Amino acid sequence: MSYPSKHLLAIEGLEPPHIADLLDLAESYALLNRSGKTQRDLLKGRTLINLFFEDSTRTRTSFELAGKRLGADVINMSVSTSSVNKGETLLDTASTLNAMQCDLLVIRHAQSGAPALLSQKVDAAVINAGDGTHEHPTQALLDALTIRRHKGSLQGLVVAICGDIAHSRVARSNIHLLTTMGSRVRVVGPPTLIPADAARLGVEVFHDMKAGLKDADVVMMLRLQRERMSGGLVPSAREFFRFYGLDAEKLAVAKPDSIVMHPGPMNRGVEIDSAIADHPTRSVIGEQVEMGVACRMAVLDVLARRLPRNR
Amino acid sequence: MRDLLITNARLLDPASGLDGPGALLVRDGVIADLGPGLTAPEGAEVLDAAGCCLAPGLVDLRANVGEPGSEHRESIASAAAAAAAGGITTLCVLPDTDPALDDPALLSFMVRRGEATGSVSLLPYGAATAGCAGKELAEFGLLREAGAIAFTDGAKAIGNARTMRLALSYARAFGAFVVQHPEEPTLAAGGAATEGELATRLGLPAIPPAAEAMMVARDIALARITGGHVHFAHVSTIAALDLIRAAKAEGLQVTADTAPPYFDLNETAIGDYRTYAKLSPPLRTEADRQAIVAALKDGTLDAIASDHQPRDADDKRLPFAQAEAGGAGLATLLGVTLARVHGGDLTMLEALALLTCKPAALLGLPVGRLAKGAPADLVLFHPDRGWKVEAGKLPGKAQNSPFDGRALEGRVFGTWKAGRRVFPA
């Protein structure tokens, strides 16, 4: 079943075969990347623009590398957050991009729905690289690929997503992807960081971390942003670490061969203990980054196939 | 002015319960006679209504007309044109403008600007607090003398309980009520949608529906201790309706209205980040929508207001949370209300009462009825004739209709203000 859209704006709405196809393709790119025979000309003559309205090193670099490995001309546009509080800029930017004849547009924006709005106004294929508290679809794909490489399949796995679920686009995309692929998803966090009607998304909600981690195959930690504490949602970092930070004691209740993930960047000592983050066998955080490039290559490949031949 | 006889009409007067064929005679701006078997006096102009409905011109309890301060969105002239096209002949306008209508001179100016249109009575609310800032009370007495129909801070809730208590108490001296935007502001701050599964999926900052009920509960308690009259604007949730129903049963001076989006749409209209459906209060669940319909029927709600909030393209073509809330409502007030008649939820007279005599009674106005001696404010419409709401083609300047694309039955063919035809102009 071929990928159904011109854009990749969200995981929600994708069917299992779409996701499986993307993961299979990403897997082949992962093998190719490891073999060192990386340079390809699939996107030769295509322009890829990384349009980042929020700071990001990891995701932007990952897309940049993916585009270059496929032969695209890659341009990074970092728009300082101070100048874009007015949304006219977003649509002004759209007309600029159309004039530049951009083929593939990767966008990160602090507002939920901003990539969807832009996709209505630009000719390019739009890839959501994180929008507000909505979705971060390529993160979910790279997480799924990492899990699949360790566990063989996503079907029936128990995945515990822990921390600030309410404000996490990573959590939303992962919930949609993993439940679609047959995993059993738990969300773990204090009630102030669990969104309304979370159970309606097809997950089990836990406020006690050990109960949530019990017999889990995968433990996925999320970044706790500092402003959540100033906003009163969590009283303090030390209290958060005591009850919801991942340390050896809490991890002991998960399956002995469970893996630990984090989308980065980590707050060591807030949501994750360094000993766990750097654990040689349990932590797959480094591999997530590697799979990120492969997944983004797969997404660019699939979307480029739907682009008009020449423009 | 020549006499005008509108013949062969279906006369609809919700105040008296009249629904029957007949004619209506207009002389010197007032209704001179009505009923079956009227004949045209010498020299009268005769209009054959061809069986269309003739009803009192609509009384719209709440609209923002862009003036002063937002003339790029709407003006009194453009709003008056849209109102006439929608069959509205009395338009109550909100004071949370720039500057706010907290000054008697400004208020009289608005009244005169309305009179200059010749097509609509423009009745301003006075600001409840200076600058609609929610702190010191405005000059209720002087504003009332200048023509303020009631007091409100418009789309801003009066958040401070003591201020609201004083407003309800002080307004009694001038026989006025206080209109509240019922939303607890600290709970609602930054919210763009109703809290629940949909907002969670879309990743939007959300407002718990209880923010409405808790403000309604608080103000009912304040009405009880002050003996004042509180009116709740655009009520949208089940819990708030239950509180209002109980307060009315208790005999408190509590009234309320809603607006068409809250009985015609539910929160799914914001799917795919559709900013035209971003309103304040936000659209609610389907269960809430159904409860609003029931409350229109059972009398818990006293009126339907257009809740007209003009926004231009730059206000709306933004990511959802950054886009401005508010929908245009003048041109669609009648059509969307009639959809509940066609849907079998309300009778024609029940629906029209909520748009005419009931809001007029609330304001103590002599309009909103077909009666001998009443002002000849009239609307002639065909209840079944269809049209499609299309943003960009609506009368008036504001095009931000949450009903964009909606097919409606009920088309206005003529509007008269004090006997003068104002639509088609």
Side-chain angles (χ1 to χ4, degrees):
Chain A
M1 195 149 98
S2 69
Y3 184 76
S5 167
K6 181 184 173 188
H7 311 289
L8 176 62
L9 301 176
I11 295 293
E12 188 175 15
L14 294 182
E15 304 283 339
H18 305 141
I19 294 168
D21 281 358
L22 281 168
L23 293 178
D24 290 345
L25 186 60
E27 176 94 53
S28 72
Y29 276 119
L31 295 172
L32 203 66
N33 286 344
R34 283 194 175 177
S35 76
K37 290 177 283 188
T38 51
Q39 201 69 32
R40 299 189 61 189
D41 59 0
L42 198 76
L43 297 184
K44 192 169 164 50
R46 298 290 191 191
T47 304
L48 166 70
I49 297 184
N50 276 324
L51 181 61
F52 277 63
F53 291 90
E54 274 189 337
D55 291 339
S56 156
T57 308
R58 190 179 301 239
T59 305
R60 186 183 53 73
T61 312
S62 181
F63 270 107
E64 185 174 357
L65 203 51
K68 285 183 170 163
R69 285 193 177 160
L70 293 173
D73 299 321
V74 182
I75 292 155
N76 292 318
M77 289 174 68
S78 293
V79 191
S80 77
T81 40
S82 59
S83 68
V84 294
N85 286 330
K86 288 289 172 198
E88 289 95 323
T89 312
L90 188 59
L91 294 189
D92 288 350
T93 308
S95 55
T96 309
L97 294 168
N98 280 341
M100 288 178 177
Q101 303 191 341
C102 163
D103 297 293
L104 293 151
L105 178 65
V106 176
I107 173 176
R108 167 165 293 187
H109 199 283
Q111 291 291 328
S112 301
L117 179 64
L118 204 57
S119 75
Q120 295 162 13
K121 307 288 176 187
V122 296
D123 303 326
V126 175
I127 299 161
N128 179 3
D131 62 330
T133 55
H134 176 224
E135 284 223 33
H136 189 352
T138 57
Q139 179 72 41
L141 288 168
L142 75 88
D143 287 341
L145 181 59
T146 308
I147 296 170
R148 215 174 70 162
R149 286 165 62 92
H150 284 267
K151 301 292 171 190
S153 161
L154 300 171
Q155 179 69 42
L157 290 181
V158 175
V159 182
I161 307 177
C162 309
D164 183 1
I165 311 295
H167 302 93
S168 176
R169 52 199 177 209
V170 173
R172 278 175 184 67
S173 285
N174 267 305
I175 288 168
H176 293 312
L177 191 152
L178 293 167
T179 55
T180 302
M181 299 307 278
S183 303
R184 288 170 51 202
V185 179
R186 301 170 178 173
V187 297
V188 182
T192 48
L193 296 179
I194 302 287
D197 287 338
R200 299 281 291 272
L201 303 184
V203 301
E204 276 185 277
V205 177
F206 291 82
H207 303 307
D208 178 281
M209 190 147 178
K210 279 191 180 170
L213 294 195
K214 186 162 172 47
D215 298 328
D217 297 287
V218 178
V219 180
M220 192 180 280
M221 301 307 298
L222 299 171
R223 177 179 170 77
L224 181 74
Q225 297 189 353
R226 296 274 167 195
E227 61 260 32
R228 303 302 167 222
M229 278 172 270
S230 57
L233 296 170
V234 176
S236 70
R238 68 177 188 181
E239 171 146 324
F240 187 80
F241 184 69
R242 167 72 181 81
F243 292 96
Y244 299 101
L246 186 64
D247 56 15
E249 187 200 337
K250 297 192 191 88
L251 185 58
V253 303
K255 283 194 183 153
D257 63 344
S258 59
I259 56 171
V260 174
M261 310 177 76
H262 193 296
M266 285 181 280
N267 292 308
R268 293 168 182 264
V270 179
E271 71 260 357
I272 193 163
D273 189 33
S274 276
I276 303 296
D278 302 329
H279 195 282
T281 56
R282 307 292 285 278
S283 169
V284 298
I285 294 169
E287 186 176 342
Q288 286 175 271
V289 179
E290 180 190 352
M291 292 308 122
V293 178
C295 283
R296 282 152 189 148
M297 290 172 79
V299 168
L300 294 175
D301 179 349
V302 163
L303 294 184
R305 289 178 206 174
R306 299 176 64 103
L307 289 171
R309 283 279 154 226
N310 47 14
R311 20 188 314 160
Chain B
M1 203 184 333
R2 282 169 72 194
D3 290 352
L4 167 68
L5 185 74
I6 302 173
T7 64
N8 194 18
R10 176 182 169 192
L11 299 175
L12 291 164
D13 180 39
S16 64
L18 168 67
D19 179 357
L24 184 142
L25 179 66
V26 177
R27 177 172 293 154
D28 299 329
V30 300
I31 298 170
D33 202 358
L34 75 163
L38 287 189
T39 52
E42 185 83 17
E45 178 191 351
V46 178
L47 179 83
D48 185 348
C52 283
C53 297
L54 186 64
L58 310 188
V59 179
D60 184 359
L61 212 46
R62 191 174 51 260
N64 184 309
V65 294
E67 287 192 44
S70 296
E71 289 82 355
H72 60 293
R73 292 167 170 162
E74 191 82 279
S75 65
I76 288 174
S78 67
I88 297 164
T89 49
T90 302
L91 189 60
C92 305
V93 302
L94 292 171
D96 51 335
T97 46
D98 183 19
L101 304 185
D102 60 0
D103 183 273
L106 196 53
L107 212 81
S108 338
F109 173 74
M110 288 294 284
V111 173
R112 285 201 304 280
R113 294 272 289 141
E115 282 165 1
T117 67
S119 65
V120 68
S121 298
L122 194 142
L123 307 178
Y125 286 93
T129 63
C132 293
K135 296 199 174 78
E136 303 91 37
L137 288 192
E139 297 164 315
F140 284 11
L142 295 176
L143 290 168
R144 191 90 164 118
E145 278 183 349
I149 46 165
F151 299 94
T152 180
D153 279 352
K156 290 180 200 152
I158 300 165
N160 184 294
R162 181 171 177 274
T163 305
M164 186 62 178
R165 177 195 179 158
L166 294 175
L168 283 171
S169 184
Y170 189 60
R172 290 180 61 203
F174 305 99
F177 58 93
V178 178
V179 180
Q180 175 68 296
H181 169 71
E183 190 171 71
E184 214 300 310
T186 59
L187 265 183
T194 297
E195 192 167 286
E197 183 186 354
L198 183 73
T200 293
R201 282 180 186 276
L202 292 172
L204 292 174
I207 302 170
E212 180 172 279
M214 70 178 62
M215 189 59 107
V216 167
R218 185 199 81 174
D219 288 353
I220 286 172
L222 293 174
R224 192 180 290 120
I225 60 175
T226 58
H229 177 176
V230 62
H231 179 90
F232 296 108
H234 41 223
V235 174
S236 60
T237 61
I238 296 170
L241 290 171
D242 288 345
L243 291 164
I244 293 163
R245 202 173 275 123
K248 287 188 163 190
E250 189 186 329
L252 297 177
Q253 288 205 76
V254 173
T255 52
D257 69 68
T258 193
Y262 305 107
F263 58 80
D264 194 74
L265 302 172
N266 62 32
E267 60 180 353
T268 60
I270 68 166
D272 295 331
Y273 303 101
R274 209 171 145 265
T275 56
Y276 275 24
K278 183 179 177 183
L279 305 173
S280 175
L283 289 169
R284 307 297 191 182
T285 66
E286 174 60 15
D288 287 305
R289 187 195 70 80
Q290 290 177 14
I292 296 292
V293 172
L296 290 171
K297 179 91 179 172
D298 73 16
T300 305
L301 292 170
D302 300 276
I304 297 170
S306 75
D307 223 4
H308 184 71
Q309 289 285 349
R311 299 287 179 254
D312 70 7
D314 287 345
D315 296 327
K316 288 289 190 183
R317 279 197 308 228
L318 290 171
F320 195 88
Q322 289 178 327
E324 297 246 8
L330 296 174
T332 50
L333 176 61
L334 179 64
V336 179
T337 302
L338 289 177
R340 297 279 51 85
V341 178
H342 296 304
D345 298 311
L346 298 174
T347 67
M348 180 64 90
L349 287 178
E350 284 168 342
L352 288 174
L354 290 158
L355 295 170
T356 57
C357 59
K358 284 188 172 182
L362 189 62
L363 297 165
L365 298 173
V367 298
R369 50 190 310 162
L370 299 186
K372 279 187 204 176
D377 291 359
L378 305 167
V379 57
L380 183 69
F381 64 93
H382 193 299
D384 303 324
R385 194 65 61 85
W387 63 290
K388 191 175 173 189
V389 182
E390 283 182 85
K393 295 184 179 174
L394 293 170
K397 200 181 275 183
Q399 299 294 319
N400 54 306
S401 172
F403 304 107
D404 187 22
R406 172 101 162 76
L408 292 176
E409 288 173 85
R411 180 158 207 164
V412 174
F413 285 123
T415 306
W416 286 262
K417 178 68 192 172
R420 198 173 74 84
R421 188 155 190 167
V422 294
F423 177 81

